[in-house]
């Protein structure tokens, strides 16, 4: 419970040296160059005025630097959270209006509170409900939706829509109004960015830059597209020729203010805030862990919840929108050599400087440039081969992924992710509700037991050994009852059933009652129930329960012990409850 | 796909003989004597006219006899379904009104359709979502609610309420209007029924009846309370003295008719129908399985869904309310010797006879008699010691049970069961999201490996063996990442990590990606990842995945093989992807 447990900055700041400072400053300069156009672009995507993106890139970064545990995670506005913000606010107010901006602040503050609460209550495990296939399907669909939503800025038309069908229909209907100059700028920037991404690094490398330096310059190159198209728009007066520009951006730093406390607004935004928080947290932690591992560092997921929560509260209090850790900027931050979270705080300073000095030229930046930046950036989100890969590995996971993808595209982000989560849960429960089990027999002359259907093994008409390959809990307790009773009714001369439990890690109260019912029913039909290979922690729980007291058979240390004692016993003498030899309960198989 | 697969009657009818007929007829007489007062009482409980209870005890029983697989399950109106019916209809119309009765028919028909659909789609596993502790907490709370709701008939006052607090408040407020004659009848019947239950069997047994016969007579005794109080009410004119009587019951058989097809009504009753169907199915199957086991018979849960569904459709088409298998009547049916489902059809005939002949006297039956019958009957539902027992066995299950119990009492049946289900799911996922795992070391001189924290074992600073005690799936995939990366960052000289997978029954797509991420991150920090003791079916799935291609280490047949090869290897030579010796993938550990 040291202060550095809650404020990691205290832990690393006292070891801060000049060379660390140099590394953090260099990383901050490069990330700032990358973040300025992205901040504006993601604000555009969220339907917010451009300055909101810049505001979301200041205070949140400082808060994360103080409370975060990752040295390299670059926090700020990101594509998926911006899309989800747009979806959440679309029913609340007209995009760009003061009410809409106010609702974005509330959304950020709500996400922040939720994340902090989850961190304090150690509820990070809730993020586990989002399975990889669901996240992957959702992110791919989001990438497609984002790209589709930006096509209108590239074409210079007015079009709208909450899902892919509406967007495409609206785009097609507006094809008559395409602004050719806008399209030329958009396609030019798009082509340039793709060229930077695919060729520039190699060219710079051949010109003598180190591989890392070449990579960083190539990644910061989009800023040159911003500069060039801004100069073009300003010098040629493109605004008057039908090219949509970013327009006036207020100069200066954001004012600090509490977001609206309208309880109706908070309630209606709460579901969206939960989803944005969880998705943002999962993505951030996954990026942070991947980067931390490369330097054998650790991040603390529960502290990350608190840090991301405070970053979002900071956004809500300083005019920003929901933030999380971004993948591409974090990688750049890492490769540029960021050594501590202070690199993030320096980035915030860089954005503040830009907000103080660059707002006048930024007014001339064409929206088509930003749209092209977004489209190229989200290309990395779309992973269609993952569908095939997941489908090949597991039908259930493939179904969950496809359903999430299709529903997100057709019904929007919230339905998509909720159905995906429900489906993963349902399919998981379905799978574990029919656990694999096998009647086993003895490999002749050995102490090994194998599936009677797959191997030539010894069996006994009075004795059946059932190996259960799953923990026993409420979802599969009844299936076990069915399986055991079917076994008993198939073998009329049966006197003993042994459940071999080497793969049973947990027996919950439902399964315990089912075992009691099985024991009772087998007793009624003259069959003894025995257990074998019960694990130490499971046996600790079972001791003293009615099951063990009433068990008609015994608890054997190993399957072979059970075979040894019961093989050939056609008498099937029922032990009266309580007569179970005590020694058999004291098995020593500790975990 | 034989007809007897879908119509079990065909299977058993051709072997029907005269002695089977005698047994079924005897059982039917005894169950009819028990069912007449219960049918009236449960109609009272559901807020329905008395004849609805009788109608629900005719056609449904015939349908179950044709399609059911249990020889002894007694289908008809039951306490919990009646309470749930009252709760579902309370917001729809005034109890007893024609609209209310119409809604009850719709509820029965809806439940019937749902059950049949679940049976045809083999969705019986959905019932597994209701864990034993949730069912148990729910049934106990229902018993308490039912008893509380009947106190008003015992006291002869008008009182109402949807939950325990409202019921008790309303009862206390109406204590001034207590009808003393009603109370005397109610308490008299209550005392008589308790005496029958506790003493009569022993007395009859001492008088020379066999134990079974004495038990059956004692269980049919309530009918004498019905006869005596009816005669009293008729002869003393108690109806005029403020004693509430059953009143006019239409004579004759029910008319067949389709229930209302109002889609708004169907939609609003759908959630309640789902819960009634699931609870009824779970209870019926559990009773049927217990009784079947005593004769080494089997029931088929999916066919039971169809049979119970058709029984409910029958109820909906013939003026009845939702039905399911009742515990006490089924036990009586079994003990009276019912040999085939035909006993149920004969019971339906008995009820039809009663409806044709007894409606005039039944009009004089005091409601207090029925209330006392219900209160005594639900005593068997209330199982408070189960709370203590479940709590002692498992905190998580105890919490789910208590929450279901308390919420059902305070918020009503639907909230109670829904929160219980959500809580069991959440707690199950929480538990499996933090699976037990242990770093193991070698028991010196042996091939066994044990937890380093519990045993004196050999370890190696370059090698860590982690035994994972749970299947790997989305809910615990990230916990595994945390655990492995924490292990790697704790041991700076680590070169090899072996995951011992003997308890891993499934690796889903999320866990597969986590293992790939772990492999990649460990590679970045110079540690090889190896697998050991992977089960046959799991290995079949893993073959050909990116994980196996990219695995920096090997797949070992046993933990000891891994130890043998890796112990003392400080070099940590990384195998390039694909170099993994093929033989190691061909491990023969089939299930």
């Amino acid at each position: 419970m040291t202060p550095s447990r809650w404020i990691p900055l205290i832990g690393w700041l006292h070891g801060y040296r000049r060379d660390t400072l140099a590394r953090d400053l260099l990383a901050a300069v490069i990330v700032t160059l990358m973040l300025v156009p992205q901040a504006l672009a993601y604000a555009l995507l969220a339907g917010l005025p451009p300055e909101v993106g810049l505001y979301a890139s200041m205070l949140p970064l400082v808060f994360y630097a103080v409370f975060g545990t990752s040295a390299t995670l670059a926090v700020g506005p990101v594509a998926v959270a911006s899309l989800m913000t747009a979806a959440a606010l679309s029913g609340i107010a007209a995009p760009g209006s003061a009410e809409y901006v106010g609702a974005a602040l509330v959304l950020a503050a709500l996400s922040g509170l939720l994340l902090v609460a989850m961190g304090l209550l150690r509820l990070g495990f809730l993020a586990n409900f989002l399975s990889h296939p669901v996240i992957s399907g959702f992110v791919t669909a989001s990438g497609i939706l984002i790209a589709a939503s930006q096509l209108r800025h590239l074409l210079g038309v007015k079009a709208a829509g909450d899902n892919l069908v509406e967007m495409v229909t609206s785009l097609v209907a507006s094809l008559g109004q395409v602004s050719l100059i806008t399209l030329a700028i958009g396609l030019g920037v798009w082509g340039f960015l793709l060229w930077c991404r695919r060729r520039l690094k190699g060219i710079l490398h051949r010109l003598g830059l180190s591989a890392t330096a070449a990579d960083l310059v190539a990644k910061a190159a989009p800023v040159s597209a911003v500069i060039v198209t801004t100069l073009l728009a300003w010098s040629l007066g493109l605004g008057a020729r039908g090219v949509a520009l970013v327009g006036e951006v207020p100069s200066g730093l954001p004012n600090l203010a509490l977001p609206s406390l309208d309880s109706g607004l908070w309630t209606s935004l709460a579901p969206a805030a939960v989803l944005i928080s969880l998705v943002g947290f999962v993505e951030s932690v996954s990026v942070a862990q991947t980067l931390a591992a490369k330097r054998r560092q650790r991040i603390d997921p529960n502290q990350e919840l608190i840090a991301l929560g405070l970053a979002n509260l900071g956004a809500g209090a300083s005019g920003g929108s929901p933030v999380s850790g971004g993948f591409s900027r974090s990688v750049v931050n890492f490769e540029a050599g960021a050594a501590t979270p202070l690199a993030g705080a320096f980035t915030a300073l860089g954005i503040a400087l830009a907000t103080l000095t660059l707002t006048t030229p930024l007014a001339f930046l064409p929206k088509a440039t930003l749209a092209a930046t977004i489209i190229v950036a989200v290309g990395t989100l779309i992973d269609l081969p993952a569908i095939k890969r997941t489908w090949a590995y597991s039908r259930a996971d493939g179904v969950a992924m496809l359903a999430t993808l299709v529903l997100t595209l057709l019904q929007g982000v919230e339905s998509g992710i909720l159905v995906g989560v429900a489906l993963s849960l349902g399919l998981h429960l379905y799978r574990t509700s029919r656990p694999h089990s096998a009647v086993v027999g003895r490999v002749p002359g050995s102490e090994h037991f194998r599936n009677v259907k797959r191997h030539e093994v010894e069996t006994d008409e009075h004795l059946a050994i059932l190996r259960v390959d799953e923990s026993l809990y409420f979802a599969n307790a009844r299936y076990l009852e069915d399986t055991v009773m079917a076994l008993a009714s198939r073998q009329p001369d049966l006197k003993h059933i042994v459940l071999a439990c080497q793969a049973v890690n947990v027996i919950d109260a439902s399964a315990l009652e089912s075992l009691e019912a099985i024991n009772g029913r087998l007793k009624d039909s003259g069959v003894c129930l025995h257990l074998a290979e019960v694990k130490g922690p499971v046996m600790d729980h079972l001791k003293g329960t009615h099951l063990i007291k009433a068990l008609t058979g015994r608890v054997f240390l190993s399957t072979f012990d059970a075979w040894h004692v019961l093989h050939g016993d056609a008498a099937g003498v029922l032990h009266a409850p309580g007569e179970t030899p005590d020694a058999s309960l004291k098995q020593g198989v500790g975990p």
Side-chain angles (χ1 to χ4, degrees), chain A residues 240-535:
Chain A
R241 302 197 190 183
V243 175
L245 305 179
V246 164
E248 198 188 336
V249 181
S251 175
L253 299 178
N255 295 321
L256 290 183
L258 272 187
S260 152
L261 295 177
D262 173 353
S263 68
L265 187 59
W266 284 64
T267 314
S268 65
L269 289 175
V274 170
L275 294 179
I276 292 178
S277 307
L278 284 182
V279 172
F281 170 63
V282 170
E283 290 292 279
S284 303
V285 164
S286 139
V287 173
Q289 274 179 335
T290 303
L291 296 178
K294 289 184 195 279
R295 296 185 186 158
R296 275 214 186 193
Q297 293 168 339
R298 289 266 304 146
I299 64 143
D300 170 358
N302 276 309
Q303 179 64 22
E304 284 300 291
L305 279 168
I306 293 174
L308 288 169
L310 291 170
N312 273 294
L313 281 172
S318 64
S321 55
V323 295
S324 74
F327 177 69
S328 55
R329 291 200 304 276
S330 298
V331 171
V332 168
N333 199 27
F334 177 88
E335 289 177 353
T340 74
L342 218 53
F346 294 148
T347 304
L349 268 183
I351 297 289
L353 272 176
T355 311
L356 289 171
T357 58
L358 295 178
T359 49
T360 314
L362 281 178
F364 292 95
L365 173 60
K367 286 185 175 176
T369 304
L370 294 178
T373 310
I374 294 179
I375 290 173
V376 172
V378 298
T380 58
L381 299 182
I382 299 170
D383 183 5
L384 293 174
I387 301 170
K388 206 178 143 197
R389 213 166 52 230
T390 305
W391 181 266
Y393 182 70
S394 149
R395 288 290 171 280
D397 283 311
V399 165
M401 187 184 227
L402 261 183
T404 309
L405 178 83
V406 171
L407 267 156
T408 304
L409 288 177
L410 300 185
Q411 293 286 318
V413 285
E414 292 181 13
S415 324
I417 205 161
L418 288 178
V419 169
V421 168
L423 213 53
S424 327
L425 284 179
L427 289 168
H428 168 65
L429 290 171
Y430 178 68
R431 188 172 52 209
T432 54
S433 75
R434 305 173 69 84
H436 189 264
S437 64
V439 176
V440 295
R442 183 188 179 202
V443 177
S446 80
E447 296 193 6
H448 294 288
F449 291 80
R450 291 283 182 273
N451 193 335
V452 295
K453 290 188 186 155
R454 295 203 190 187
H455 300 83
E456 285 287 331
V457 288
E458 268 182 84
T459 55
D460 181 335
E461 60 178 335
H462 303 304
L463 168 64
I465 305 174
L466 186 72
R467 195 192 63 214
V468 182
D469 287 347
E470 190 83 46
S471 282
L472 298 174
Y473 76 111
F474 64 88
N476 60 25
R478 282 183 197 97
Y479 188 75
L480 181 72
E481 293 180 35
D482 292 348
T483 308
V484 172
M485 296 320 292
L487 189 61
S489 68
R490 268 203 311 272
Q491 266 178 266
D493 292 328
L494 199 64
K495 296 295 167 196
H496 302 281
I497 287 188
V498 177
L499 294 183
C501 301
Q502 57 267 59
V504 175
N505 303 305
V506 169
I507 295 179
D508 82 352
S510 299
L512 179 71
E513 277 191 48
S514 284
L515 287 172
E516 286 172 9
I518 290 169
N519 183 54
R521 289 174 195 165
L522 288 178
K523 189 179 177 185
D524 287 340
S525 38
V527 179
C528 286
L529 176 69
H530 308 265
L531 303 176
E533 315 223 10
V534 181
K535 292 189 178 189

Side-chain angles (χ1 to χ4, degrees), chain A residues 6 19 165 169 317 430 567:
Chain A
W6 295 103
D19 63 326
V165 176
T169 319
Y430 178 68
H567 181 44

